[in-house]
Amino acid sequence: MGLPSATATSSGNMTDKQPPRELFKSRFDVPYSDLSALNTVDLHFPTNPAPDFQKSNIWLIYIHGGAFRDPGKTSRSILPSLPHLFSPSSPYRQPFIHGVASLNHRLSPYPTHPTNPSKPGDPARSSKWPDHMNDVKAGIAWVLNQGDDSQENTKPDSGRDGIFKRRYILAGHSVGGTMAMLIAQSDPAELAIPLPLGIVPLCGIYNFTALRDAHPANADIYNTFTTAAFGPEDEGGWERGNCTKGVIHDEVRVVVMGHGKRDTLVEWGQVEEMAGVMDRVNEGISGGGGIRKARVIEVKGDHDEVWEGGVEVAGCVDVAMKTLGVIRGLDSIRDRKSGAF
């Protein structure tokens, strides 16, 4: 199904009867590492957060797409979604999200880019796997541990491990969705950060071989960017990005996979490739005793139109947050009945 849209004013605010006003405050290009100029994060905090007694500890953390190499796809990709997430007139307003963090990371080489080719030796644009993933994990750790320092008058709650102050939902577009899914399938003992409460992969790539084979006219392009990131296919490099054989960890309670049937770059077959992985989430109770839920949302528009419009991203986040709220409510009822409280 498609998601209903909401109109934005010229200032980026949603149209309603009141004059446009600031919906969020931002800090751009905050370093989370000194490895390169691209190891930065943008932070966005609502100006009308929920009251203190209802305030959520949940971050929304976003990973941009761009085939691991495109310098034109950056942390700014989340900006069109922010009015839909923060405006009181939006059907997808998220008053219980603490803040939105949008990550940049080092890129693979792209020497043939038409306007901004990469140069050999540039630490920001000469990366191979797992550099991209390591950056994302470092960025998540920084946000959970230090992101609150960028907001005034914040009194963070202690996290479950005494280090990370908040939990998070992890969203990503295209290869950002790939990385969100791979993190959800990671062993917590090796991850060094908490697993997300939920993931929202949008137009994600889950099997790079199937992607290439589904687009024979552009097979050279898919071969080039995938090999630049993971190494040669015939040496098993591409399997590093294969999500179809993994298992989403029990601690990830919600999976909302957004994908469009009009996507001309990443085919709907990627969703079908993940059917078994999604079914395992929906089998019922997690190892920790909690309910889990996975669902697919058919979004409107072509590949980049999904993030450019913003509303489809916000709509999928809304589904994830509402589903998480229902699950937590059911968990609470179950625990009371069992005498856990």
Side-chain angles (χ1 to χ4, degrees), residues 32-43:
Y32 63 80
S33 164
D34 60 3
L35 289 175
S36 82
L38 286 180
N39 290 93
T40 62
V41 59
D42 299 342
L43 301 167

Side-chain angles (χ1 to χ4, degrees), residues 72-188:
K73 303 295 192 301
T74 72
S75 56
R76 305 300 200 270
S77 300
I78 196 62
L79 290 178
S81 302
L82 296 183
H84 301 281
L85 293 170
F86 290 140
S87 172
S89 66
S90 169
Y92 306 128
R93 182 193 179 205
Q94 300 298 324
F96 305 121
I97 283 181
H98 173 68
V100 177
S102 187
L103 299 172
N104 288 307
H105 57 80
R106 287 172 292 172
L107 303 176
S108 302
Y110 195 175
T112 60
H113 188 277
T115 60
N116 188 9
S118 60
K119 298 177 181 178
D122 181 354
R125 299 183 62 190
S126 57
S127 293
K128 281 190 175 292
W129 197 264
D131 292 345
H132 323 77
M133 179 64 86
N134 288 341
D135 285 354
V136 166
K137 291 189 289 187
I140 291 171
W142 186 93
V143 170
L144 298 182
N145 193 36
Q146 301 183 54
D148 284 332
D149 295 342
S150 296
Q151 186 185 29
E152 296 178 358
N153 302 321
T154 299
K155 296 180 180 179
D157 295 327
S158 296
R160 56 180 180 168
D161 56 9
I163 299 174
F164 299 109
K165 299 168 183 176
R166 302 186 187 278
R167 301 300 301 275
Y168 66 106
I169 298 285
L170 185 60
H173 180 262
S174 194
V175 297
T178 307
M179 289 192 278
M181 183 63 71
L182 289 171
I183 284 176
Q185 295 178 346
S186 297
D187 181 347

Side-chain angles (χ1 to χ4, degrees), residues 1-5 92 259-260 297-301 311-312 315-316 319:
M1 66 178 180
L3 296 163
S5 62
Y92 306 128
H259 213 99
I297 301 292
E298 183 182 339
V299 297
K300 292 181 178 179
V311 66
E312 302 295 327
C316 289
V319 171

Side-chain angles (χ1 to χ4, degrees), residues 185-216:
Q185 295 178 346
S186 297
D187 181 347
E190 300 177 358
L191 195 56
I193 55 173
L195 284 160
L197 288 169
I199 60 170
V200 185
L202 299 145
C203 310
I205 305 170
Y206 311 112
N207 184 327
F208 287 85
T209 300
L211 175 75
R212 185 268 319 279
D213 293 347
H215 302 270

